[in-house]
Coordinates of all heavy atoms in Angstrom, one line a residue:
K965 N 57.6 42.1 72.9 CA 57.9 41.3 71.7 C 56.6 40.8 71.1 O 56.6 40.2 70.0 CB 58.8 40.2 72.1 CG 60.2 40.6 72.4 CD 61.0 39.4 72.8 CE 62.5 39.8 73.2 NZ 63.3 38.7 73.6
N966 N 55.5 41.0 71.8 CA 54.2 40.5 71.3 C 53.2 41.6 71.2 O 52.1 41.5 71.7 CB 53.7 39.4 72.2 CG 54.5 38.1 72.1 OD1 54.4 37.3 71.2 ND2 55.5 38.1 73.0
V967 N 53.6 42.8 70.6 CA 52.7 43.9 70.5 C 51.5 43.6 69.6 O 51.7 43.1 68.5 CB 53.5 45.1 69.9 CG1 52.6 46.3 69.7 CG2 54.7 45.5 70.7
G968 N 50.4 43.8 70.1 CA 49.1 43.5 69.4 C 47.9 43.7 70.3 O 48.0 44.6 71.2
I969 N 46.9 43.0 70.1 CA 45.7 43.2 70.9 C 45.6 42.5 72.2 O 44.7 42.7 73.0 CB 44.4 42.8 70.0 CG1 44.5 41.3 69.7 CG2 44.3 43.7 68.8 CD1 43.3 40.8 69.0
F970 N 46.6 41.7 72.5 CA 46.7 41.0 73.8 C 47.9 41.3 74.6 O 49.0 41.7 74.0 CB 46.6 39.5 73.6 CG 45.4 39.0 73.0 CD1 45.4 38.4 71.7 CD2 44.1 39.1 73.6 CE1 44.3 38.0 71.1 CE2 43.0 38.7 73.0 CZ 43.0 38.1 71.7
R971 N 47.9 41.2 75.9 CA 49.0 41.4 76.7 C 48.8 40.6 78.0 O 47.7 40.1 78.3 CB 49.4 42.8 77.0 CG 48.4 43.5 78.0 CD 48.8 44.8 78.4 NE 48.3 45.2 79.7 CZ 48.8 46.2 80.4 NH1 49.7 47.0 79.9 NH2 48.2 46.5 81.6
I972 N 49.8 40.5 78.9 CA 49.6 39.8 80.1 C 50.1 40.7 81.3 O 50.8 41.7 81.1 CB 50.4 38.5 80.2 CG1 52.0 38.8 80.1 CG2 50.0 37.5 79.2 CD1 52.8 37.5 80.3
T973 N 49.5 40.5 82.5 CA 49.9 41.2 83.6 C 51.1 40.5 84.3 O 51.5 39.4 83.9 CB 48.8 41.4 84.6 OG1 48.4 40.1 85.1 CG2 47.5 42.0 84.0
E974 N 51.6 41.1 85.4 CA 52.7 40.5 86.1 C 52.3 39.1 86.7 O 51.1 39.0 87.1 CB 53.1 41.4 87.3 CG 53.8 42.7 86.8 CD 55.2 42.4 86.3 OE1 55.8 41.4 86.6 OE2 55.7 43.3 85.6
L975 N 53.2 38.2 86.7 CA 53.0 36.9 87.3 C 52.9 37.1 88.8 O 53.7 37.7 89.4 CB 54.1 35.9 87.0 CG 54.0 35.4 85.5 CD1 55.4 34.8 85.1 CD2 52.9 34.3 85.4
M976 N 51.8 36.5 89.4 CA 51.6 36.6 90.9 C 51.5 35.2 91.5 O 51.0 34.3 90.9 CB 50.3 37.4 91.1 CG 50.3 38.8 90.6 SD 51.4 39.8 91.6 CE 50.6 39.7 93.2
P977 N 52.1 35.0 92.7 CA 52.0 33.7 93.4 C 50.6 33.4 93.8 O 49.8 34.3 94.1 CB 52.9 33.9 94.6 CG 52.9 35.4 94.9 CD 52.8 36.0 93.5
V978 N 50.2 32.1 93.8 CA 48.9 31.7 94.2 C 49.1 30.3 94.8 O 49.9 29.5 94.4 CB 47.9 31.7 93.1 CG1 48.2 30.8 92.0 CG2 46.5 31.5 93.6
L979 N 48.3 30.0 95.8 CA 48.3 28.7 96.5 C 47.1 27.9 96.1 O 46.0 28.4 96.0 CB 48.5 28.8 98.0 CG 49.8 29.4 98.5 CD1 49.7 29.6 100.0 CD2 50.9 28.4 98.2
G980 N 47.3 26.6 96.0 CA 46.2 25.7 95.7 C 46.7 24.4 95.0 O 47.5 24.5 94.0
A981 N 46.4 23.2 95.5 CA 46.9 22.0 95.0 C 46.3 21.7 93.7 O 47.0 21.1 92.8 CB 46.7 20.9 96.0
D982 N 45.0 22.0 93.5 CA 44.4 21.7 92.2 C 44.4 22.9 91.3 O 43.6 23.9 91.5 CB 42.9 21.2 92.5 CG 42.2 20.7 91.3 OD1 42.4 21.3 90.2 OD2 41.4 19.8 91.4
L983 N 45.2 22.9 90.3 CA 45.4 24.0 89.4 C 44.1 24.4 88.7 O 43.8 25.6 88.4 CB 46.5 23.8 88.4 CG 47.9 23.7 88.9 CD1 48.9 23.9 87.8 CD2 48.2 24.7 90.0
G984 N 43.3 23.4 88.4 CA 42.0 23.6 87.7 C 41.1 24.4 88.6 O 40.4 25.4 88.2
E985 N 41.0 24.1 89.9 CA 40.1 24.8 90.8 C 40.7 26.2 91.0 O 39.9 27.2 91.1 CB 40.1 24.1 92.2 CG 39.3 22.8 92.1 CD 39.2 22.1 93.5 OE1 39.8 22.7 94.5 OE2 38.5 21.1 93.6
V986 N 42.0 26.4 91.1 CA 42.6 27.7 91.3 C 42.3 28.6 90.1 O 41.9 29.7 90.2 CB 44.1 27.6 91.4 CG1 44.8 28.9 91.4 CG2 44.5 26.9 92.8
A987 N 42.4 28.0 88.9 CA 42.1 28.8 87.7 C 40.7 29.2 87.6 O 40.3 30.3 87.2 CB 42.5 27.9 86.4
D988 N 39.8 28.2 88.0 CA 38.3 28.6 87.9 C 38.0 29.7 88.9 O 37.2 30.6 88.5 CB 37.5 27.3 88.3 CG 37.5 26.3 87.3 OD1 37.8 26.6 86.1 OD2 37.2 25.1 87.6
K989 N 38.6 29.7 90.1 CA 38.3 30.7 91.1 C 38.8 32.1 90.6 O 38.2 33.1 90.7 CB 38.9 30.4 92.4 CG 38.5 31.4 93.5 CD 39.0 31.0 94.9 CE 38.4 31.9 96.0 NZ 38.6 33.3 95.7
L990 N 40.1 32.1 90.1 CA 40.7 33.3 89.6 C 39.9 33.9 88.4 O 39.6 35.1 88.4 CB 42.1 33.1 89.2 CG 43.1 32.9 90.3 CD1 44.4 32.4 89.7 CD2 43.3 34.1 91.1
F991 N 39.4 33.0 87.5 CA 38.6 33.4 86.4 C 37.3 34.1 86.9 O 36.9 35.1 86.4 CB 38.3 32.3 85.5 CG 37.5 32.6 84.3 CD1 38.1 33.2 83.1 CD2 36.1 32.5 84.3 CE1 37.4 33.5 82.0 CE2 35.4 32.9 83.2 CZ 36.0 33.4 82.0
D992 N 36.6 33.4 87.8 CA 35.4 33.9 88.3 C 35.6 35.3 89.0 O 34.8 36.2 88.8 CB 34.7 33.0 89.3 CG 34.2 31.8 88.7 OD1 33.9 31.8 87.4 OD2 33.9 30.7 89.4
D993 N 36.7 35.4 89.7 CA 36.9 36.7 90.5 C 37.4 37.8 89.6 O 37.1 39.0 89.9 CB 37.9 36.4 91.6 CG 37.4 35.5 92.7 OD1 36.2 35.4 92.8 OD2 38.2 34.9 93.4
L994 N 38.2 37.5 88.6 CA 38.9 38.6 87.9 C 38.4 38.8 86.5 O 38.7 39.8 85.9 CB 40.4 38.2 87.8 CG 41.1 38.1 89.2 CD1 42.6 37.6 89.0 CD2 41.1 39.4 90.0
V995 N 37.7 37.8 85.9 CA 37.3 38.0 84.5 C 35.8 37.9 84.3 O 35.2 38.7 83.7 CB 38.0 36.9 83.6 CG1 37.5 37.0 82.2 CG2 39.5 36.9 83.8
A996 N 35.2 36.8 84.9 CA 33.8 36.6 84.6 C 32.9 37.6 85.2 O 33.2 38.2 86.3 CB 33.4 35.2 85.1
I997 N 31.7 37.9 84.6 CA 30.7 38.7 85.2 C 29.9 37.8 86.1 O 29.2 36.9 85.6 CB 29.8 39.4 84.2 CG1 30.7 40.3 83.3 CG2 28.7 40.2 84.8 CD1 29.9 41.0 82.2
Q998 N 29.9 38.0 87.4 CA 29.2 37.1 88.3 C 27.7 37.4 88.3 O 27.3 38.5 88.5 CB 29.7 37.3 89.7 CG 31.2 36.9 89.8 CD 31.4 35.5 89.5 OE1 30.9 34.6 90.2 NE2 32.2 35.2 88.5
P999 N 26.8 36.4 88.1 CA 25.4 36.6 88.1 C 24.9 37.2 89.4 O 23.9 37.9 89.4 CB 24.8 35.2 87.8 CG 25.9 34.4 87.2 CD 27.2 35.0 87.8
H1000 N 25.5 36.8 90.5 CA 25.0 37.3 91.8 C 25.3 38.7 92.2 O 24.9 39.2 93.2 CB 25.5 36.3 92.9 CG 27.0 36.4 93.1 ND1 27.9 35.6 92.5 CD2 27.7 37.2 93.9 CE1 29.1 35.9 92.9 NE2 29.1 36.9 93.7
R1001 N 26.1 39.3 91.3 CA 26.5 40.7 91.6 C 25.3 41.6 91.2 O 25.0 41.8 90.1 CB 27.7 41.1 90.8 CG 29.0 40.6 91.4 CD 30.2 41.0 90.5 NE 31.4 40.5 91.1 CZ 32.5 40.3 90.5 NH1 32.6 40.6 89.2 NH2 33.6 39.8 91.1
S1002 N 24.7 42.2 92.2 CA 23.6 43.1 92.0 C 24.1 44.5 91.6 O 25.2 44.9 91.8 CB 22.7 43.2 93.2 OG 23.4 43.9 94.3
K1003 N 23.2 45.3 91.0 CA 23.5 46.6 90.6 C 23.9 47.5 91.8 O 24.7 48.4 91.6 CB 22.3 47.3 89.9 CG 22.6 48.6 89.2 CD 21.4 49.1 88.5 CE 21.6 50.5 87.9 NZ 22.7 50.5 86.9
G1004 N 23.4 47.2 92.9 CA 23.7 48.0 94.1 C 24.9 47.6 94.9 O 25.2 48.2 95.9
E1005 N 25.6 46.5 94.4 CA 26.8 46.1 95.1 C 27.8 47.2 95.1 O 28.1 47.8 94.1 CB 27.4 44.8 94.5 CG 28.6 44.3 95.3 CD 29.2 43.1 94.6 OE1 28.8 42.8 93.5 OE2 30.1 42.5 95.2
R1006 N 28.5 47.4 96.2 CA 29.5 48.5 96.3 C 30.7 48.2 95.4 O 31.2 47.1 95.4 CB 30.0 48.6 97.7 CG 29.0 49.3 98.7 CD 29.7 49.7 100.0 NE 30.6 50.8 99.7 CZ 31.9 50.6 99.9 NH1 32.5 49.4 100.2 NH2 32.8 51.6 99.7
V1007 N 31.0 49.1 94.6 CA 32.2 49.0 93.8 C 33.5 48.9 94.6 O 34.4 48.2 94.3 CB 32.4 50.2 92.8 CG1 33.6 50.0 91.9 CG2 31.1 50.4 92.0
G1008 N 33.4 49.5 95.8 CA 34.5 49.5 96.7 C 34.8 48.0 97.2 O 36.0 47.7 97.4
T1009 N 33.8 47.2 97.3 CA 34.0 45.8 97.7 C 34.8 45.1 96.7 O 35.7 44.3 97.0 CB 32.7 45.1 97.9 OG1 31.9 45.8 98.9 CG2 32.8 43.7 98.3

């Protein structure tokens, strides 16, 4: 119903009492480009 340039993935369960901290960690892991990731880091990791 919202065909366009955005979409969402399936909702997944996550644990954490502080939603702000949970959101920050998920964002860092799944969206942000981490500065500490070196060129040689295994993609498999």
